[in-house]
Every structure is written in C-alpha cells, then in structure tokens.
Amino acid sequence: MSSRFSDDLYVGARTFVPVAISIAAYGVVWGVLARGAGLSLLEVILMSGLVFAGSAQFVALDLWTVTPSSLPIGPLIVAALIINLRYVLLTATLRPLFGPGQQLRGALTMFMVSDETWALTVGEMSKGSRGTVGFLVGAGIVAYGVWMATTVAGHVLGSVIDDPTKYGLDFAFTATFLALLLGMWKGKADLVPWLVGALVAIISAKLIPGSWYILIGGIVGSLAGAILDRVRHVD
C-alpha cells in the first residue's frame, strides 16, 4: 500500500465520520424492523454484509415472509435490482478515478460505493485532489463497519425499541441525503436539475408502481443538468 493511498484512506475515513453517525441511526432502525419482520440475527448479518445497500434492504423487508417456502425470491431480486439501478449512473461518474487497465480494480472497489460515499467522493473530486480511490475506500470501510454494527445492534435492541418513529429515527435516512445534497451545492445553477429530477420523481412515484421513480428522476435530472451545461457553454 503506497503512502499516498494510505493517507487518502485515512482522510476518507475521517471525513466520513459525521455522515456515519446518521447511517448509524437508520442502521438501528433497519435492524429493529428486520427483527419485527422475522429475520434471525444470522440473516441480518448475511444481508447487511452481502447486500450492503440500505434502500434495497428496506424494500426487501416489505416483501419478507417468515416462512421460507413462501418467500418471494423473484420479486425480491427484481425489487433490489430496480432500486439499485441508479448505481449504474452513480458509479459511471467515478470512472476518472481509475486509469487504463484498472477495470478489475475499479469493479471490485465499486462494492464500497453507497449513496453517501459516492456523494462525498464526487464532492471532493469537484474540489480538487482529495477525491481519490483511497478516499472512496476509506469512507467505504467506515460506512460498511457502521452499517454492519448498527443493523446488528438494532436487531438486538428490537425487543426494547418497539416503534422507531417514536424516537424520530425514521427521519435519519432523509436527513442524511438532505445534508449530502447541501454539501454538493455549487450555486443557483444546481437548482434546475435538482428541481427537475425531484418533480419527475414525484410524478413517476404517483403514476408508476415500485421504485422506478428513483431511476427515472435521476436520469431526467441528469439530462436536465447536461442540457443546461451545454446551453451555458454555447452562450
């Protein structure tokens, strides 16, 4: 491990700590809900460790059944696939971090990408030299460790916390993304793609069942940003 990589690893881990606190909050919420849905502690460990995708895991709980024979495997896979399609777009923006011939390294590193680590890394990439592979992996290690620890803790505490909404823990997921969004704010020009993406996502959620609104809002918002950027450069 090079000195530069280890330095970036430490910076990424340290920078991610404030975000990790909010992840811890909805990690506990997911663990509590998982216990209520009938998942065993081993199943919680396996799902959090192998899936490592909060939004997909929340959706999976809605479809989970205690009886293995009635578990809807197909719908579970499709739902997780749909809600995680956004990562095709997100991880594509990280391509500049990897040089020619580093496709395998890049593919393996993408396991550490979550919405939060992606947002923080892209924000650093736009500011200067701190947005590196080491930074992404450092942030990802903290995110993975916190997610594993808090989902397990939530399952253990499930017998004590009967309703997470009474403690406001259910808002942690939304609060995290609002904080990340504000951190990526660069000026009024960001408003157009953000508003277009949000509006399209809301309309899609009303018209189309499932979680397609996430992907549709992301694509349309990105297109709006690309078109706006092109118009500005033409002018």
Side-chain angles (χ1 to χ4, degrees):
M1 184 183 297
S2 69
S3 174
R4 170 66 192 276
F5 182 84
S6 58
D7 289 345
D8 291 345
L9 195 78
Y10 172 72
V11 172
R14 186 187 61 191
T15 307
F16 195 77
V17 169
V19 182
I21 295 172
S22 58
I23 289 180
Y26 62 80
V28 171
V29 172
W30 187 85
V32 171
L33 296 177
R35 183 188 180 101
L39 272 77
S40 67
L41 182 59
L42 177 61
E43 289 168 337
V44 166
I45 293 172
L46 290 174
M47 187 183 288
S48 291
L50 298 176
V51 179
F52 183 42
S55 52
Q57 289 181 229
F58 273 103
V59 171
L61 289 185
D62 289 334
L63 300 172
W64 195 265
T65 61
V66 178
T67 307
S69 59
S70 61
L71 198 62
I73 301 295
L76 270 171
I77 294 174
V78 172
L81 178 65
I82 292 172
I83 202 166
N84 282 334
L85 274 176
R86 69 189 186 283
Y87 284 114
V88 176
L89 300 174
L90 299 185
T91 54
T93 64
L94 300 173
R95 181 66 182 87
L97 295 180
F98 302 92
Q102 293 186 319
Q103 290 87 348
L104 179 59
R105 183 189 181 201
L108 294 175
T109 305
M110 291 307 104
F111 179 74
M112 306 305 294
V113 175
S114 64
D115 297 290
E116 296 86 357
T117 58
W118 170 82
L120 208 60
T121 303
V122 168
E124 293 297 331
M125 288 169 67
S126 66
K127 294 175 185 174
S129 61
R130 290 212 314 177
T132 63
V133 176
F135 184 95
L136 172 65
V137 174
I141 290 173
V142 176
Y144 188 82
V146 169
W147 181 248
M148 286 297 298
T150 55
T151 52
V152 169
H155 187 276
V156 174
L157 295 171
S159 59
V160 179
I161 305 175
D162 55 337
D163 183 7
T165 60
K166 287 196 302 187
Y167 306 95
L169 294 175
D170 57 315
F171 187 68
F173 198 71
T174 305
T176 300
F177 287 100
L178 287 176
L180 290 171
L181 198 63
L182 290 176
M184 298 176 71
W185 171 263
K186 290 187 291 188
K188 293 180 180 177
D190 289 336
L191 271 180
V192 174
W194 290 9
L195 291 176
V196 169
L199 183 62
V200 171
I202 292 171
I203 295 173
S204 301
K206 297 288 185 185
L207 300 177
I208 304 173
S211 302
W212 288 101
Y213 65 93
I214 297 175
L215 186 64
I216 296 172
I219 291 175
V220 176
S222 299
L223 286 175
I227 294 171
L228 187 66
D229 189 61
R230 187 175 181 83
V231 169
R232 280 203 304 265
H233 281 85
V234 169
D235 293 340

